[in-house]
Amino acid sequence: MCDTEERHDPNQSRWSHLRNILGRRGMFNQEDFIPDESILDCMLNDLKILVIGAGGLGCELLKDLTLSGLLNIHVIDMDTIDLSNLNRQFLFRQSDIGKPKAEVAAAFINQRVPGANVKPHFTKIQEKDDDFYRDFHIVVCGVDSILARRWINGMLLSLLEYDSDGKLDQSSVRILVDGGTEGFKGNVRVITPGMSACLECTLDLYPPQVNYPMCTIAHTPRQPEHCVEYIKMFLWEKEDPFGGLPIDGDNTQHIEWIFNSAQARAREYGIQGVTYRLTQGVIKRIIPAVASTNAVIAAACVNEVFKCATQCYTPMNNYMVFNDVNGVYSYTFAAERNSRCLVCSQQPRTLNFTTDAQLRQLIDHLQQDPTLQMKNPSLTTIIDGKTKTLYMTGIPSLEVATRPNLPKTLKELGLVDGHELICADVTSPTSLRFILHYTDNDMAE
């Protein structure tokens, strides 16, 4: 699966440290590990890695992976380089501002690391098909988006194949190594789809995104963030300062206008603390980033990739948290599979409602339940052998057409106890199944 015509020689002196690890046994090796020079040859030439994200964590990952002998890499990122990236994303220079992160990062690594073969993809992960992801052995995720994590988790689970007896085909497994940072905190997890806990099994570990009450933003702001949100949600559309253009968090003129408007609103309500940095953070949902934390988490991720790729040591089982706010602290624990996981259990989730519950309430539940946290769910079902769209969010015309269903009760929509609901959402590449259960009879009993 190597993309280069010329194979790398594992006997080069630059790989001596890897030959020492893979060419002889050590006290921490797995019991069934057999030292063999072909392992290094395979790692240098045949192993194919996908890195998702070329930002702060992604830059560290690309550097660590290639210097560790994992040379055949594809990197995918939809973002372009901003001035604020330069303080920690060390593969970029001021002359690169405005260019695609993936392309610049790949070019830098290919030039700096001999033999590196990094191929960039300047696009969204959702725009690649199954065959693209099936072409890799290991996927390393270094993004700051929970939505992207959930989507790639679902994609790798959708690639799994089973035989007629329901036994998992190991060749269909693509290991996911996921890293995340926030300030001085970070985490690493190793997910073996179909065998270990997937990301959705522990979704409640990720707090829902902070949303401010609409009435507070509009009438009684108390925090500087409320002022920025007001400009974003109300004043931008009302005053249309840039001729119909949507807000672009990377456009300095847009941020400057929002900043000045938010300062004016803050003065009106006697609120302190509206700064340019805070304004940009609210608009772009920026997570605080520290270069040293990125370096630690990336190193831990690459260490796990190396163990999974060579099988010389037992991979981490399976979740590590890191904190250096006060001193340095790390802890590893085994996240357990959730037998009710909607994504990896292959079983539909039961939704408990009364017959007089509205469709709007069901959708609110899908969005607000900590174990689901859907963004814009669309629902369909089958009634009398025909597919019926209950609510559709992805296409504006269909959203308008199905909006009248929201205040209707589930019974009015023709849904009976045990009805199967099919849900599509941006958090998953595949449709998810639910079974509706009416609790009226339960209460009567």
Side-chain angles (χ1 to χ4, degrees):
M1 298 178 68
C2 178
D3 291 323
T4 55
E5 295 181 2
E6 182 179 351
R7 293 182 69 83
H8 304 290
D9 182 6
N11 293 312
Q12 286 182 336
S13 60
R14 63 184 290 211
W15 308 123
S16 60
H17 60 296
L18 294 179
R19 288 198 299 274
N20 290 337
I21 295 173
L22 302 175
R24 59 189 181 188
R25 285 194 59 83
M27 62 186 298
F28 296 112
N29 286 132
Q30 295 194 71
E31 291 184 4
D32 57 352
F33 173 69
I34 301 175
D36 194 318
E37 61 181 20
S38 66
I39 299 175
L40 179 56
D41 180 68
C42 177
M43 194 177 84
L44 294 174
N45 297 292
D46 300 321
L47 200 71
K48 207 168 181 182
I49 307 291
L50 173 65
V51 174
I52 300 177
L57 195 55
C59 286
E60 292 280 358
L61 287 169
L62 290 171
K63 178 256 294 181
D64 290 351
L65 286 166
T66 51
L67 292 178
S68 298
L70 297 156
L71 302 175
N72 297 301
I73 299 173
H74 286 230
V75 58
I76 183 169
D77 195 301
M78 59 173 283
D79 205 0
T80 55
I81 299 166
D82 182 69
L83 177 63
S84 62
N85 302 146
L86 303 184
N87 71 326
R88 63 193 181 281
Q89 298 175 22
F90 55 86
L91 300 184
F92 310 139
R93 301 294 181 265
Q94 192 158 357
S95 59
D96 297 323
I97 292 175
K99 298 177 183 178
K101 287 184 177 181
E103 295 178 2
V104 175
F108 190 104
I109 292 292
N110 287 337
Q111 181 182 18
R112 189 66 178 267
V113 181
N117 181 34
V118 182
K119 291 195 171 184
H121 301 273
F122 176 45
T123 185
K124 296 180 179 180
I125 58 174
Q126 293 87 346
E127 294 179 0
K128 295 294 185 179
D129 59 15
D130 297 9
D131 291 334
F132 174 79
Y133 293 103
R134 195 176 282 114
D135 200 30
F136 300 97
H137 296 97
I138 300 174
V139 176
V140 192
C141 193
V143 296
D144 58 5
S145 166
I146 296 176
L147 175 62
R149 284 188 176 94
R150 296 177 67 182
W151 192 91
I152 194 63
N153 175 77
M155 170 55 72
L156 298 185
L157 283 164
S158 72
L159 299 180
L160 298 180
E161 298 177 1
Y162 297 83
D163 62 20
S164 57
D165 296 325
K167 186 178 179 180
L168 177 63
D169 180 359
Q170 295 291 331
S171 66
S172 67
V173 175
R174 303 293 183 270
I175 294 175
L176 173 63
V177 178
D178 175 54
T181 67
E182 183 173 351
F184 292 99
K185 302 175 184 178
N187 68 275
V188 177
R189 65 187 305 175
V190 179
I191 298 173
T192 307
M195 301 174 67
S196 67
C198 79
L199 189 140
E200 298 283 341
C201 288
T202 55
L203 185 61
D204 52 350
L205 292 178
Y206 298 98
Q209 182 172 289
V210 175
N211 292 305
Y212 302 105
M214 191 79 70
C215 57
T216 300
I217 294 172
H219 305 294
T220 56
R222 298 185 297 274
Q223 301 175 16
E225 291 84 356
H226 294 164
C227 300
V228 179
E229 285 284 354
Y230 175 83
I231 308 305
K232 172 186 173 183
M233 298 175 65
F234 298 104
L235 204 60
W236 181 275
E237 183 176 353
K238 180 181 178 181
E239 298 197 5
D240 192 17
F242 293 93
L245 290 176
I247 295 175
D248 181 356
D250 293 316
N251 188 314
T252 55
Q253 291 181 321
H254 289 196
I255 298 298
E256 188 73 29
W257 187 88
I258 296 172
F259 167 57
N260 292 331
S261 301
Q263 277 194 321
R265 184 167 176 81
R267 286 194 295 269
E268 180 182 349
Y269 286 89
I271 298 171
Q272 302 292 325
V274 175
T275 64
Y276 185 91
R277 182 181 291 272
L278 178 133
T279 301
Q280 191 176 42
V282 172
I283 297 300
K284 296 183 66 176
R285 303 288 186 183
I286 293 175
I287 298 174
V290 176
S292 59
T293 309
N294 287 337
V296 170
I297 295 303
C301 286
V302 174
N303 193 37
E304 295 308 315
V305 171
F306 180 82
K307 290 190 285 186
C308 292
T310 63
Q311 295 297 304
C312 59
Y313 300 101
T314 303
M316 178 177 65
N317 184 29
N318 51 23
Y319 198 119
M320 185 271 281
V321 292
F322 172 81
N323 187 330
D324 64 347
V325 174
N326 296 305
V328 177
Y329 170 82
S330 67
Y331 176 69
T332 303
F333 66 94
E336 297 183 358
R337 291 189 71 178
N338 183 352
S339 59
R340 296 179 62 247
C341 177
L342 186 62
V343 177
C344 72
S345 69
Q346 299 184 312
Q347 300 295 325
R349 174 81 67 88
T350 299
L351 296 176
N352 296 308
F353 284 92
T354 58
T355 53
D356 60 353
Q358 297 177 341
L359 180 63
R360 178 184 287 112
Q361 292 174 284
L362 190 151
I363 291 176
D364 288 343
H365 173 77
L366 296 178
Q367 294 175 316
Q368 298 169 10
D369 188 312
T371 64
L372 297 173
Q373 296 187 37
M374 294 187 177
K375 301 301 179 184
N376 297 295
S378 298
L379 290 171
T380 59
T381 189
I382 296 178
I383 297 178
D384 297 329
K386 297 181 180 180
T387 299
K388 178 177 181 178
T389 301
L390 300 174
Y391 185 63
M392 182 68 67
T393 59
I395 304 173
S397 59
L398 288 179
E399 194 281 328
V400 172
T402 56
R403 192 182 302 165
N405 287 339
L406 292 175
K408 293 182 180 179
T409 67
L410 303 179
K411 188 175 182 179
E412 289 174 339
L413 291 169
L415 302 177
V416 299
D417 189 68
H419 226 119
E420 183 176 77
L421 304 177
I422 307 299
C423 179
D425 189 63
V426 293
T427 59
S428 174
T430 57
S431 297
L432 305 172
R433 296 185 300 139
F434 294 92
I435 299 296
L436 181 63
H437 173 63
Y438 287 136
T439 58
D440 304 66
N441 294 334
D442 299 342
M443 292 185 288
E445 295 175 359

